[in-house]
Amino acid sequence: MVNVAINGYGTIGKRIADAVTAQDDMSVAGVTKTKPDFEARLAIEKGYELYAVIPEKQGDFKKAGINIAGTIHDLLKHADIVVDCAPGGIGAENKPMYEKAGVKAIFEGGEKHDVAGLSFNAMCNYDKAIGRDFIRVVSCNTTGICRVLYPLDQAFGVEKARVVLVRRATDPADIKKGPINAIVPDPVK
Ligand SMILES: NC(=O)c1ccc[n+]([C@@H]2O[C@H](COP(=O)([O-])OP(=O)(O)OC[C@H]3O[C@@H](n4cnc5c(N)ncnc54)[C@H](OP(=O)(O)O)[C@@H]3O)[C@@H](O)[C@H]2O)c1
């Protein structure tokens, strides 16, 4: 059984936790949050052990009545691999912590290629990822492009592609970035 830690239980982290739970050879070792908001409550409701990213802020969770199992450092002690789902750029800052803990890591597309030295898409370069300590999953946009272009390239050869991306509205907590089908209870200042 592979114990998977998820550092950052946000938009992507939530989905990865559920995807890991659906596998029969992996389990979620725990998930992390910096603050005790609705996502922290959701993690507990779903049965995931919750850990604090910032050790000094453990008290905030207690005050909000949310039980935590410790800090990210405690979580890494019983994880085989961590999926870093922190906001873009934070993964690079987290990498030395994973190296020190001797835990393999998967970074998300908000990180630069250099954070892992291999940008990964399961359809295109699965074999290259085997045995590596660090990989970075390409962004959602690049994933979409890879899934369409790779099979076309394999079958016919693609010399050049002109691509139009049609994206969904922004994430629930990011209303400032664009249109979203959400009610905002408080005027945005
Ligand atoms: N959203 C998308 O559609 C999408 C698609 C593809 C790739 N990505 C990539 O996935 C990554 C995560 O994006 P997201 O959209 O899931 O972001 P998000 O919804 O903002 O979630 C980020 C999570 O990281 C936590 N966090 C904050 N600071 C942290 C730290 N220092 N260490 C660890 N965790 C920390 C946050 O906890 P608190 O809320 O408690 O602070 C939150 O749970 C980014 O690299 C992004 O580019 C996103």
Side-chain angles (χ1 to χ4, degrees):
M1 190 64 83
V2 181
N3 287 318
V4 184
I6 293 150
N7 194 16
Y9 190 69
T11 305
I12 292 297
K14 277 183 276 193
R15 285 152 178 89
I16 291 177
D18 292 346
V20 167
T21 302
Q23 312 304 312
D24 52 18
D25 58 352
M26 300 180 198
S27 71
V28 175
V31 304
T32 70
K33 286 280 295 165
T34 71
K35 53 182 184 293
D37 63 5
F38 72 99
E39 287 174 328
R41 288 190 194 281
L42 185 70
I44 299 289
E45 271 172 32
K46 291 223 171 197
Y48 301 130
E49 297 247 288
L50 183 63
Y51 293 80
V53 173
I54 304 165
E56 298 75 36
K57 294 206 168 167
Q58 288 180 83
D60 293 358
F61 290 85
K62 203 173 171 190
K63 259 189 241 160
I66 295 176
N67 280 333
I68 52 168
T71 69
I72 174 69
H73 303 290
D74 299 316
L75 172 58
L76 292 179
K77 282 183 199 151
H78 61 95
D80 299 308
I81 187 164
V82 57
V83 187
D84 187 295
C85 305
I90 305 280
E93 292 173 18
N94 286 336
K95 188 179 175 186
M97 174 171 65
Y98 305 145
E99 287 175 314
K100 198 169 165 201
V103 177
K104 291 170 183 262
I106 297 172
F107 297 94
E108 294 300 321
E111 302 303 317
K112 300 239 182 308
H113 170 83
D114 293 350
V115 72
L118 179 76
S119 290
F120 171 79
N121 172 266
M123 186 182 269
C124 303
N125 61 353
Y126 184 87
D127 291 349
K128 286 199 177 141
I130 294 171
R132 291 187 68 100
D133 288 339
F134 299 108
I135 62 162
R136 163 193 174 263
V137 178
V138 294
S139 74
C140 44
N141 297 331
T142 310
T143 298
I145 294 169
C146 287
R147 286 179 183 166
V148 174
L149 288 185
Y150 182 77
L152 288 175
D153 188 44
Q154 293 294 296
F156 309 110
V158 173
E159 282 178 21
K160 188 190 268 187
R162 290 194 178 83
V163 176
V164 177
L165 282 174
V166 180
R167 301 198 45 163
R168 87 300 190 244
T170 190
D171 293 330
D174 273 340
I175 45 161
K176 64 183 179 305
K177 285 191 187 163
I180 187 164
N181 183 19
I183 296 167
V184 184
D186 213 328
V188 182
K189 294 182 181 109

